[in-house]
Amino acid sequence: MKKLFLAVALLFTIGLVAQEQPSGISVNGEGTITVVPDEVLIQVYIQEEASSAQKVKENTDKVIDEVLKYLKSEKIPQKNIQTEYVRLGKNVQNSKYGNVPNAVNFYANQSISILLTDVSKYDEITRGLLELGINGINSVQFKSSEIEKYEAQARLKAIADAKSKANEYAKALEVKVGTPTLISESSNSYSNPQVFRTMEMKQSSVSSSNTQTLAVGEMEIKSQIHVVFSIIN
C-alpha cells in the first residue's frame, strides 16, 4: 500500500512539472546597444583632522560650504548634488608614560556626489574642487540621460535575436515557429567605459587648463531575454 501511494505521488509530481514546463522551442536572445555617455557622476571626498571635535567640524563645514557655493556658481543644479556619507570619530593614542594624558585626535570624512550633464566640464570642475580643498575622488561613473530609451532598443534587439535563433532550429527540424508562449527578461544591464577609484588629488597633477584627463569612450547597454515559441508541424 505504501509503495502504491509513493508511485501515485511520483506520477502526480511528474504531471505537475510537465504542466509547468512550456513545450516548444526554448531560446535565449541578447541585444546590445552602444552609446556615447552624455553625463558623468563624480564622487569626491573631504577628510579633516584636528585636536578637538569642534575644530574638525568647523574645518569640514568650511570646505563643504565653499564646495557648494562653487558648484552653484558653475550652475550645477541642486538636485545633482548629494551627500553620500558623513563619518565622524576619534583616535586615542595611549601614552607610554602613566603621568602623561593619552593623545586624542578627531577626524571627519564626508563624500559628495556631483552629476555633470555636460561631460566637457569634468576637468574644469575637478580643478576647481581641488583648489577648494577636497582630498580626492572616490569614483567616476559615466551615464546616459536616455538610458530607458536605449534599454527599450536593446530589448527589441534581444527579441529579434531570439526569434532568429528559433527560426534556425525550426528550419533544421523541418517545422515552423508559432506564437511565443513564454517571455521573460533574464537581465538588463549596462557597462561603463571606465571607472576611476580613489584618486588622490595633488596640485602637481593639474597642469594647464587645456589638458584633457578624461576619455569618455562608449558604454554598452545589454538586454537578455528567454522566449519559448510554440511549434507548428
Side-chain angles (χ1 to χ4, degrees), residues 197-213:
R197 295 189 182 278
T198 313
M199 183 173 69
E200 295 296 330
M201 304 298 292
K202 297 180 181 179
Q203 187 66 38
S204 58
S205 67
V206 181
S207 53
S208 68
S209 59
N210 294 325
T211 302
Q212 297 296 317
T213 62

Side-chain angles (χ1 to χ4, degrees), residues 122-228:
Y122 170 83
D123 289 299
E124 177 188 349
I125 295 296
T126 52
R127 274 194 296 269
L129 293 173
L130 170 61
E131 294 172 356
L132 292 174
I134 70 165
N135 295 93
I137 297 177
N138 283 333
S139 66
V140 175
Q141 181 182 2
F142 296 94
K143 301 168 71 69
S144 172
S145 60
E146 298 184 302
I147 188 68
E148 293 182 357
K149 181 184 78 172
Y150 294 126
E151 285 177 345
Q153 292 178 5
R155 290 190 188 98
L156 292 177
K157 291 189 70 173
I159 291 173
D161 181 49
K163 189 172 183 180
S164 176
K165 290 177 180 178
N167 284 327
E168 290 178 5
Y169 288 127
K171 184 177 180 180
L173 296 171
E174 297 182 348
V175 295
K176 292 183 179 180
V177 177
T179 58
T181 59
L182 174 68
I183 301 176
S184 62
E185 189 172 41
S186 302
S187 65
N188 197 357
S189 60
Y190 62 91
S191 59
N192 291 303
Q194 58 178 272
V195 176
F196 296 159
R197 295 189 182 278
T198 313
M199 183 173 69
E200 295 296 330
M201 304 298 292
K202 297 180 181 179
Q203 187 66 38
S204 58
S205 67
V206 181
S207 53
S208 68
S209 59
N210 294 325
T211 302
Q212 297 296 317
T213 62
L214 190 69
V216 177
E218 295 179 332
M219 60 188 295
E220 289 186 345
I221 301 170
K222 292 183 178 181
S223 177
Q224 293 180 328
I225 64 166
H226 176 68
V227 185
V228 177

